[in-house]
Protein backbone atom coordinates (compact mmCIF):
# COMPACT_ATOMS: atom_id res chain seq x y z
CA UNK A 1 0.00 0.00 0.00
CA UNK A 2 1.14 3.51 -0.70
CA UNK A 3 1.88 5.61 2.32
CA UNK A 4 3.88 8.52 3.60
CA UNK A 5 5.22 8.77 7.13
CA UNK A 6 6.43 11.91 8.81
CA UNK A 7 7.66 10.67 12.18
CA UNK A 8 8.03 14.08 13.81
CA UNK A 9 4.76 15.77 14.75
CA UNK A 10 6.36 18.95 16.08
CA UNK A 11 9.91 20.28 15.91
CA UNK A 12 11.33 23.42 17.49
CA UNK A 13 14.63 24.89 16.30
CA UNK A 14 16.43 28.10 17.06
CA UNK A 15 16.54 30.82 14.46
CA UNK A 16 19.71 30.42 12.43
CA UNK A 17 20.03 26.73 13.21
CA UNK A 18 19.91 24.01 10.60
CA UNK A 19 16.77 21.99 9.96
CA UNK A 20 15.97 18.49 8.78
CA UNK A 21 12.43 17.18 8.49
CA UNK A 22 12.05 13.48 7.93
CA UNK A 23 9.85 11.74 5.39
CA UNK A 24 9.62 8.05 4.57
CA UNK A 25 7.42 6.63 1.87
CA UNK A 26 6.11 3.33 0.68
CA UNK A 27 5.33 3.11 -3.02
CA UNK A 28 5.26 0.25 -5.48
CA UNK A 29 6.82 2.07 -8.40
CA UNK A 30 9.08 5.01 -9.03
CA UNK A 31 7.51 7.77 -7.03
CA UNK A 32 7.09 11.44 -7.52
CA UNK A 33 7.89 13.14 -4.23
CA UNK A 34 6.84 16.55 -3.00
CA UNK A 35 7.25 18.85 -0.05
CA UNK A 36 4.55 21.40 0.63
CA UNK A 37 4.44 24.16 3.23
CA UNK A 38 1.33 25.52 4.90
CA UNK A 39 1.54 28.82 6.73
CA UNK A 40 -1.09 29.45 9.42
CA UNK A 41 -4.51 30.01 7.91
CA UNK A 42 -3.27 29.42 4.38
CA UNK A 43 -3.44 26.73 1.74
CA UNK A 44 -0.50 24.55 0.79
CA UNK A 45 2.35 25.82 -1.35
CA UNK A 46 4.83 23.62 -3.18
CA UNK A 47 8.40 23.88 -1.89
CA UNK A 48 10.02 21.36 -4.20
CA UNK A 49 9.46 18.11 -6.04
CA UNK A 50 11.46 15.16 -7.32
CA UNK A 51 10.72 12.69 -10.06
CA UNK A 52 14.00 11.88 -11.75
CA UNK A 53 17.60 12.93 -12.17
CA UNK A 54 19.73 14.46 -9.47
CA UNK A 55 18.68 13.09 -6.10
CA UNK A 56 19.36 16.43 -4.39
CA UNK A 57 16.56 18.82 -5.25
CA UNK A 58 16.58 22.55 -4.69
CA UNK A 59 13.38 24.35 -3.87
CA UNK A 60 12.09 27.77 -3.00
CA UNK A 61 12.92 29.69 0.17
CA UNK A 62 16.34 28.04 0.49
CA UNK A 63 15.02 24.51 1.08
CA UNK A 64 16.45 21.35 -0.41
CA UNK A 65 15.57 17.66 -0.18
CA UNK A 66 17.47 14.48 -0.89
CA UNK A 67 15.91 11.37 -2.36
CA UNK A 68 17.42 8.17 -0.99
CA UNK A 69 15.90 5.16 -2.71
CA UNK A 70 17.67 2.64 -0.48
CA UNK A 71 16.13 4.24 2.61
CA UNK A 72 12.78 5.18 1.00
CA UNK A 73 13.33 8.65 2.33
CA UNK A 74 12.95 12.19 1.08
CA UNK A 75 14.12 14.44 3.91
CA UNK A 76 13.79 18.20 3.75
CA UNK A 77 16.69 20.40 4.85
CA UNK A 78 17.55 24.02 5.31
CA UNK A 79 20.98 25.21 6.50
CA UNK A 80 19.71 28.21 8.48
CA UNK A 81 16.08 28.74 9.42
CA UNK A 82 14.33 32.09 9.67
CA UNK A 83 11.41 32.98 11.92
CA UNK A 84 9.22 33.12 8.81
CA UNK A 85 9.80 29.39 8.25
CA UNK A 86 7.46 28.57 11.13
CA UNK A 87 4.71 26.58 9.45
CA UNK A 88 3.44 23.07 8.86
CA UNK A 89 5.30 20.95 6.34
CA UNK A 90 3.81 18.09 4.39
CA UNK A 91 5.61 15.40 2.47
CA UNK A 92 3.64 13.78 -0.35
CA UNK A 93 4.06 10.98 -2.88
CA UNK A 94 2.43 10.45 -6.25
CA UNK A 95 2.92 8.22 -9.23
CA UNK A 96 2.57 7.80 -12.97
CA UNK A 97 -1.00 6.88 -13.65
CA UNK A 98 -4.10 8.64 -14.85
CA UNK A 99 -5.83 7.42 -11.71
CA UNK A 100 -3.01 8.23 -9.35
CA UNK A 101 -3.37 10.83 -6.70
CA UNK A 102 -1.01 12.51 -4.32
CA UNK A 103 -0.86 10.95 -0.86
CA UNK A 104 0.05 13.31 1.94
CA UNK A 105 1.85 12.64 5.17
CA UNK A 106 0.35 13.81 8.45
CA UNK A 107 2.60 16.86 8.59
CA UNK A 108 5.35 18.26 10.81
CA UNK A 109 4.77 21.51 12.61
CA UNK A 110 7.89 23.66 12.78
CA UNK A 111 8.31 26.26 15.50
CA UNK A 112 11.21 28.71 15.59
CA UNK A 113 12.81 29.72 18.87
CA UNK A 114 14.00 33.37 18.81
CA UNK B 1 -4.60 34.98 -12.36
CA UNK B 2 -6.49 34.22 -9.15
CA UNK B 3 -5.38 30.55 -9.07
CA UNK B 4 -7.70 28.47 -6.91
CA UNK B 5 -10.39 30.26 -4.93
CA UNK B 6 -12.83 28.87 -2.38
CA UNK B 7 -16.14 30.20 -1.13
CA UNK B 8 -16.95 30.68 1.71
CA UNK B 9 -13.91 31.06 3.96
CA UNK B 10 -15.78 30.26 7.16
CA UNK B 11 -19.12 28.65 7.94
CA UNK B 12 -20.95 27.43 11.01
CA UNK B 13 -23.75 24.91 10.54
CA UNK B 14 -26.13 23.13 12.82
CA UNK B 15 -26.38 19.35 12.68
CA UNK B 16 -28.60 18.30 9.82
CA UNK B 17 -28.21 21.48 7.78
CA UNK B 18 -26.91 21.37 4.24
CA UNK B 19 -24.42 23.53 2.39
CA UNK B 20 -22.29 23.71 -0.72
CA UNK B 21 -18.66 24.72 -0.91
CA UNK B 22 -17.53 26.24 -4.17
CA UNK B 23 -14.09 25.87 -5.68
CA UNK B 24 -13.04 27.75 -8.80
CA UNK B 25 -9.78 27.67 -10.77
CA UNK B 26 -8.69 29.81 -13.68
CA UNK B 27 -5.70 27.74 -14.81
CA UNK B 28 -7.62 25.47 -17.20
CA UNK B 29 -6.67 22.46 -15.10
CA UNK B 30 -8.26 19.12 -15.86
CA UNK B 31 -8.02 17.62 -12.39
CA UNK B 32 -9.65 18.97 -9.27
CA UNK B 33 -9.73 17.63 -5.72
CA UNK B 34 -11.47 18.14 -2.41
CA UNK B 35 -9.54 17.37 0.77
CA UNK B 36 -10.32 17.69 4.42
CA UNK B 37 -7.62 18.52 6.95
CA UNK B 38 -7.90 17.40 10.54
CA UNK B 39 -5.26 17.75 13.27
CA UNK B 40 -2.64 15.00 13.13
CA UNK B 41 -4.16 13.43 10.04
CA UNK B 42 -2.74 15.48 7.20
CA UNK B 43 -4.93 15.88 4.15
CA UNK B 44 -7.43 13.20 3.23
CA UNK B 45 -8.98 13.06 -0.21
CA UNK B 46 -12.77 13.25 -0.23
CA UNK B 47 -13.62 13.28 -3.95
CA UNK B 48 -11.84 14.21 -7.12
CA UNK B 49 -12.59 14.90 -10.75
CA UNK B 50 -10.54 14.06 -13.83
CA UNK B 51 -12.49 16.38 -16.10
CA UNK B 52 -15.72 18.22 -16.70
CA UNK B 53 -18.71 16.02 -15.96
CA UNK B 54 -16.71 13.38 -14.09
CA UNK B 55 -16.28 12.69 -10.39
CA UNK B 56 -14.77 9.88 -8.35
CA UNK B 57 -14.55 8.88 -4.70
CA UNK B 58 -11.45 9.43 -2.67
CA UNK B 59 -10.43 8.11 0.71
CA UNK B 60 -13.26 9.58 2.83
CA UNK B 61 -16.30 10.20 0.56
CA UNK B 62 -19.15 9.31 2.92
CA UNK B 63 -21.49 12.19 3.73
CA UNK B 64 -20.30 14.30 0.79
CA UNK B 65 -21.34 14.74 -2.80
CA UNK B 66 -19.62 16.63 -5.60
CA UNK B 67 -20.34 17.97 -9.04
CA UNK B 68 -18.19 19.28 -11.90
CA UNK B 69 -20.61 20.82 -14.36
CA UNK B 70 -18.02 23.29 -15.62
CA UNK B 71 -14.32 22.65 -16.01
CA UNK B 72 -13.37 25.57 -13.81
CA UNK B 73 -15.71 24.75 -10.91
CA UNK B 74 -15.85 21.87 -8.45
CA UNK B 75 -18.62 21.88 -5.86
CA UNK B 76 -18.63 19.96 -2.59
CA UNK B 77 -21.98 19.36 -0.94
CA UNK B 78 -22.96 18.28 2.53
CA UNK B 79 -26.57 17.12 2.50
CA UNK B 80 -26.97 16.63 6.25
CA UNK B 81 -24.06 18.00 8.21
CA UNK B 82 -22.69 16.13 11.21
CA UNK B 83 -20.24 17.28 13.92
CA UNK B 84 -17.70 14.78 12.50
CA UNK B 85 -17.56 16.95 9.40
CA UNK B 86 -16.09 19.85 11.35
CA UNK B 87 -12.84 20.39 9.52
CA UNK B 88 -10.89 22.61 7.20
CA UNK B 89 -11.66 21.87 3.57
CA UNK B 90 -9.17 22.46 0.78
CA UNK B 91 -9.71 22.41 -2.92
CA UNK B 92 -6.82 21.76 -5.29
CA UNK B 93 -6.25 21.43 -9.01
CA UNK B 94 -3.55 20.26 -11.39
CA UNK B 95 -3.02 19.79 -15.11
CA UNK B 96 -2.58 16.07 -15.00
CA UNK B 97 -2.73 13.76 -12.00
CA UNK B 98 0.56 12.09 -11.33
CA UNK B 99 3.19 12.91 -13.98
CA UNK B 100 5.01 14.97 -11.39
CA UNK B 101 2.56 17.85 -11.58
CA UNK B 102 2.12 19.89 -8.46
CA UNK B 103 -1.31 20.53 -7.06
CA UNK B 104 -2.36 24.13 -6.55
CA UNK B 105 -4.38 24.73 -3.42
CA UNK B 106 -7.07 27.16 -2.44
CA UNK B 107 -6.95 29.03 0.89
CA UNK B 108 -9.39 26.66 2.60
CA UNK B 109 -12.84 26.77 4.15
CA UNK B 110 -13.15 26.33 7.90
CA UNK B 111 -16.41 24.54 8.67
CA UNK B 112 -17.83 24.04 12.14
CA UNK B 113 -20.85 21.80 12.66
CA UNK B 114 -22.57 22.26 16.01
Amino acid sequence: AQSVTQPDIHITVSEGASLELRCNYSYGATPYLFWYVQSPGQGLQLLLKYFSGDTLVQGIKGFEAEFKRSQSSFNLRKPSVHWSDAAEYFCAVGGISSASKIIFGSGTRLSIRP
Amino acid sequence: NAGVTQTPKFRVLKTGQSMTLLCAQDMNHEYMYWYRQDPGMGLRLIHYSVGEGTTAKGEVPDGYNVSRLKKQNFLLGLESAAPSQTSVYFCASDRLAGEGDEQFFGPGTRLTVL
Side-chain angles (χ1 to χ4, degrees), chain B residues 1-107:
Chain B
N1 233 2
V4 180
T5 58
Q6 292 182 232
T7 309
K9 288 186 169 51
F10 303 94
R11 186 72 186 269
V12 178
L13 291 179
K14 294 181 180 178
T15 297
Q17 288 185 318
S18 64
M19 77 163 294
T20 301
L21 282 65
L22 171 63
C23 175
Q25 53 95 4
D26 61 3
M27 296 173 282
N28 202 36
H29 285 170
E30 289 293 334
Y31 290 76
M32 296 187 75
Y33 310 83
W34 275 108
Y35 295 92
R36 59 177 290 173
Q37 183 181 33
D38 303 291
M41 303 195 73
L43 276 76
R44 293 183 291 169
L45 184 65
I46 304 171
H47 286 282
Y48 65 101
S49 168
V50 301
E52 182 178 319
T54 74
T55 62
K57 293 181 180 180
E59 180 186 356
V60 288
D62 294 341
Y64 305 95
N65 57 77
V66 289
S67 64
R68 183 107 181 261
L69 299 179
K70 294 183 179 181
K71 185 176 183 178
Q72 63 267 34
N73 295 338
F74 194 31
L75 278 63
L76 177 72
L78 286 72
E79 291 183 349
S80 179
S84 61
Q85 294 178 303
T86 294
S87 187
V88 181
Y89 291 86
F90 287 98
C91 177
S93 71
D94 65 33
R95 286 183 303 134
L96 188 66
E99 303 291 344
D101 249 23
E102 70 174 283
Q103 291 187 3
F104 291 82
F105 284 82

Side-chain angles (χ1 to χ4, degrees), chain A:
Chain A
Q2 303 156 12
S3 66
V4 178
T5 301
Q6 294 181 247
D8 303 306
I9 296 173
H10 183 204
I11 285 181
T12 300
V13 299
S14 297
E15 190 167 17
S18 63
L19 171 70
E20 183 169 24
L21 301 182
R22 296 183 290 166
C23 173
N24 292 97
Y25 68 90
S26 173
Y27 201 79
T30 301
Y32 292 109
L33 294 159
F34 307 83
W35 274 100
Y36 284 83
V37 61
Q38 183 183 29
S39 298
Q42 304 294 316
L44 279 68
Q45 179 186 20
L46 182 71
L47 280 177
L48 48 80
K49 63 182 179 182
Y50 168 82
F51 47 92
S52 67
D54 194 344
T55 56
L56 186 62
V57 181
Q58 302 297 321
I60 62 171
K61 305 185 181 187
F63 285 91
E64 66 179 27
E66 186 171 13
F67 171 59
K68 292 186 177 180
R69 186 187 300 276
S70 61
Q71 298 177 19
S72 296
S73 69
F74 188 56
N75 294 349
L76 182 71
R77 301 194 295 246
K78 187 170 184 178
S80 177
V81 298
H82 185 261
W83 64 266
S84 60
D85 293 324
E88 186 134 23
Y89 292 80
F90 292 93
C91 181
V93 63
I96 305 174
S97 163
S98 61
S100 69
K101 299 166 288 294
I102 294 178
I103 299 168
F104 288 86
S106 56
T108 297
R109 186 160 63 93
L110 174 65
S111 298
I112 306 297
R113 191 184 301 118

